[in-house]
Amino acid sequence: MTLIGWLQTLLFFALVLALTKPVGLYLFRVFEADTQPLPRVLGPIERALLRLCGVRRDQEQTWGQYTAALLAFSAVGLVVLYALQRLQHMLPLNPQGLPAVGPALAFNTAASFVANTNWQSYAGESTLSYATQMLGLTWQNFVSAATGLGVALALARGLTRRPGPEGRKTLGNFWVDLMRGTLYVLLPLSFLVALFFVSQGVLQNLAPYPEHTTVEGVKQTLAFGPVASQEAIKMLGTNGGGFFNANSAHPFENPTPLTNLVQLLLIFVLPAGLTYTYGKMTGDTRQGWVLFSAMSVLFLLGAAASYAAEVQPNPALTAANVVQDGNLEGKETRFGVAASTLFATVTTDASCGAVNSMHDSFTALGGLVPMVNMQLGEVIFGGVGAGLYGILVMAVLAVFIAGLMVGRTPEFLGKKIEAREMTLAMLYVLVFPLAILGLSAVGAVLPQGTSSLNNAGPHGLSEILYAFTSGVANNGSAFAGLNANTPFWNLSLGVSMLAGRFLMMVPVLALAGSLVGKKAVAPGPGTFPTHGVLFTGLLVSIVVVVGALTFFPALSLGPIVEHFLGAAGKVF
């Protein structure tokens, strides 16, 4: 470990902290203020698009209507993206003449991008045409991120709104949230970031792939394409799907240390800003800073643990008497150990999944950290929207436990947390491990699952567990030793991604609908404060305990036992 390595992490965190308030204020103005930013420029566009769709901005929806609109929109997106892949050989913008994508892979990819997961069982540059990349994947990168924003805001409104004399029980309008998230937030920021990426050397063209002769006299084909435009929303929307198979380890996607830093900031900037937006919505910004603080503690612990693990030498090379300066296997020498472990931590704290190194090549404990980050529910800043509504569900659990401790009915922002709210919160919590562990068990015993493994023993189990964790957590990163492009893995991972997205969104929206109609009571002597250090500690403890108790047995059979076997000189 070096001072420069630690300073990289601290610099990154300082930049995130500095951006949290201004980004949060901007998001608050976009979604909650009477007048949105740039009203003379973007206002007419918003009104025209809503009028075209037959949507009134002042017509709000109940949680059931909001959910129905979200599910219908996502279902149509799933079908359209599937059709684009199956028909790409008949569509324009396919200079390489790439054939249609197979049915199982097309389903997996459609489910992946609609669910904001961007798991890729294929090499993008040799599988998908420019039309599919732009009209299908990039489109879903925008709208899936905007959908997550909407759900987070709906839950925040459920917590912060008061019924009023008319008994209002609405949570906003899904179509308005979707439109504003895309038009005011994701599109302009992605446009600026794409220009910056192009200035740094990221590709952006529609040219056919050129063929060159190397210095050895070998013919080599270079993949081109509209990379910068997809790269910008890939990171900003915490999507993670790369234009190239190597993702952010590819020099055409991530050419310099500066682009690497900007990509890291893009992953965290909206999730961090949303915590301040939530604080503004409550009328007490301390409520938002508590969430930010809890996320920050977990992030810094994970970053330190990952870096400490990866500066250790690779046990396989140690056994061969190779002198090493840390575990450099699977890492880009442009970035080194420190920037690679920071990227792995950030991308799995958020539901992004972009990678600039191969997690399968990490040490056992180094690979454990990204896996645990996801298994904690990706509430450590998390995906766009998903991180906020995930940590708020954990906060509901925390105030319930605090209420039991003091012998009072638990309250959150003055609203009583009762049986219905706890049922919905626990449903959200239980769907996650049930899907991960259940599907991992199936993958570990069926020959259709184990036949795709390149490693035996505990590392092979880690590859299976990581794959389904990544799918259900809507992350999209992978342990590369698993060949997921088979019918079994494409179908099972596709189902896991849809379950992890929508079977968890529905309880969140139902919870918001249950809370929005409740009257707020004034705090009393026994009210547990939710804006201080004590609640931050309780919230961190709840997140860790829920994840540790659920997944520790499985982790013990995978990366933990692999670590001890490696220390004993046994490498799988």
Side-chain angles (χ1 to χ4, degrees):
M1 291 183 283
T2 65
L3 178 61
I4 296 298
W6 290 114
L7 287 177
Q8 287 184 53
T9 299
L10 294 177
L11 171 64
F12 165 74
F13 180 72
L15 292 171
V16 172
L17 179 61
L19 290 170
T20 295
K21 182 176 178 178
V23 171
L25 285 172
Y26 181 79
L27 292 173
F28 179 82
R29 185 177 174 189
V30 168
F31 292 102
E32 296 300 305
D34 294 331
T35 303
Q36 283 63 52
L38 299 174
R40 295 185 178 181
V41 178
L42 298 179
I45 299 175
E46 178 194 0
R47 290 190 293 273
L49 290 173
L50 291 176
R51 191 180 304 114
L52 180 65
C53 298
V55 176
R56 289 174 49 193
R57 288 190 294 177
D58 59 346
Q59 187 174 7
E60 295 203 344
Q61 298 170 320
T62 63
W63 82 266
Q65 294 169 329
Y66 201 103
T67 304
L70 183 153
L71 294 177
F73 178 76
S74 300
V76 170
L78 181 74
V79 173
V80 170
L81 183 50
Y82 178 85
L84 274 173
Q85 295 173 84
R86 298 289 290 142
L87 299 173
Q88 73 172 9
H89 61 295
M90 302 168 59
L91 298 174
L93 292 175
N94 186 7
Q96 297 307 115
L98 297 174
V101 181
L105 179 57
F107 166 74
N108 179 278
T109 305
S112 176
F113 280 78
V114 169
N116 196 244
T117 308
N118 292 29
W119 172 278
Q120 294 173 289
S121 295
Y122 59 89
E125 63 267 41
S126 60
T127 306
L128 299 181
S129 67
Y130 293 165
T132 305
Q133 294 265 22
M134 292 189 296
L135 300 178
L137 305 192
T138 305
W139 164 261
Q140 281 301 327
N141 283 347
F142 279 99
V143 297
S144 64
T147 298
L149 270 173
V151 175
L153 291 163
L155 180 56
R157 291 168 185 148
L159 282 164
T160 59
R161 283 185 173 182
R162 304 296 183 256
E166 73 283 0
R168 180 178 65 172
K169 295 184 178 181
T170 56
L171 300 171
N173 187 299
F174 170 75
W175 305 110
V176 174
D177 289 341
L178 178 72
M179 185 71 68
R180 288 181 176 173
T182 304
L183 182 62
Y184 290 95
V185 181
L186 299 173
L187 269 174
L189 289 178
S190 296
F191 179 77
L192 294 175
V193 171
L195 290 179
F196 166 76
F197 281 156
V198 169
S199 74
Q200 295 298 301
V202 179
L203 289 182
Q204 182 71 19
N205 58 51
L206 298 175
Y209 295 178
E211 188 177 80
H212 297 278
T213 302
T214 67
V215 292
E216 293 89 358
V218 178
K219 297 291 185 181
Q220 180 182 7
T221 300
L222 295 181
F224 278 9
V227 181
S229 55
Q230 183 169 321
E231 193 71 14
I233 187 58
K234 153 194 162 181
M235 311 308 292
L236 183 65
T238 61
N239 298 283
F243 190 94
F244 299 105
N245 187 42
N247 207 281
S248 288
H250 198 293
F252 287 173
E253 282 197 31
N254 189 13
T256 68
L258 180 57
T259 60
N260 193 69
L261 175 61
V262 170
Q263 289 189 12
L264 287 171
L265 288 172
L266 289 173
I267 295 173
F268 267 12
V269 67
L270 292 181
L274 277 171
T275 63
Y276 192 84
T277 304
Y278 166 73
K280 285 285 291 181
M281 292 173 70
T282 66
D284 181 2
T285 55
R286 293 177 299 174
Q287 300 286 342
W289 285 119
V290 162
L291 302 184
F292 180 89
S293 299
M295 293 173 172
S296 299
V297 169
L298 293 168
F299 158 68
L300 291 172
L301 289 174
S306 181
Y307 185 35
E310 289 307 297
V311 295
Q312 304 302 316
N314 187 309
L317 296 177
T318 300
N321 297 318
V322 176
V323 178
Q324 307 165 67
D325 183 17
N327 178 32
L328 286 171
E329 186 198 349
K331 296 180 177 66
E332 269 289 311
T333 54
R334 291 178 296 146
F335 307 128
V337 172
S340 297
T341 55
L342 177 60
F343 204 112
T345 303
V346 170
T347 197
T348 51
D349 282 341
S351 58
C352 183
V355 295
N356 73 352
S357 58
M358 299 301 107
H359 298 177
D360 196 41
S361 296
F362 279 32
T363 63
L365 295 185
L368 172 68
V369 172
M371 201 181 308
V372 170
N373 286 341
M374 295 184 287
Q375 290 170 349
L376 293 179
E378 297 217 58
V379 298
I380 312 172
F381 293 101
V384 174
L388 179 62
Y389 66 69
I391 198 71
L392 285 176
V393 172
M394 292 298 174
V396 168
L397 292 178
V399 296
F400 178 78
I401 293 173
L404 294 179
M405 290 178 179
V406 299
R408 280 177 55 100
T409 302
E411 299 166 5
F412 193 19
L413 301 182
K415 296 190 174 185
K416 292 184 177 181
I417 305 299
E418 298 174 301
R420 175 175 171 79
E421 289 75 41
M422 283 309 302
T423 300
L424 293 169
M426 288 309 301
L427 179 60
Y428 174 92
V429 170
L430 291 174
V431 163
F432 191 70
L434 180 62
I436 292 173
L437 296 176
L439 289 169
S440 295
V442 173
V445 298
L446 290 183
Q448 293 91 335
T450 56
S451 62
S452 289
L453 296 176
N454 290 333
N455 296 277
H459 194 78
L461 176 61
S462 294
E463 290 174 348
I464 293 174
L465 184 61
Y466 193 105
F468 283 115
T469 299
S470 180
V472 177
N474 298 138
N475 182 272
S477 63
F479 267 18
L482 175 73
N483 173 28
N485 194 11
T486 66
F488 170 81
W489 283 104
N490 278 325
L491 295 175
S492 61
L493 284 170
V495 169
S496 77
M497 291 182 281
L498 294 175
R501 181 73 165 176
F502 299 108
L503 290 185
M504 296 178 75
M505 277 186 168
V506 172
V508 168
L509 290 168
L511 178 62
S514 179
L515 289 167
V516 73
K518 286 179 175 283
K519 293 183 178 180
V521 298
T527 301
F528 185 75
T530 57
H531 56 255
V533 175
L534 183 60
F535 186 69
T536 301
L538 178 61
L539 183 55
V540 170
S541 301
I542 292 297
V543 171
V544 172
V545 168
V546 168
L549 292 179
T550 304
F551 293 103
F552 182 74
L555 294 172
S556 297
L557 297 174
I560 295 177
V561 71
E562 182 186 356
H563 168 72
F564 287 110
L565 289 172
K570 299 178 180 179
V571 181
F572 289 88

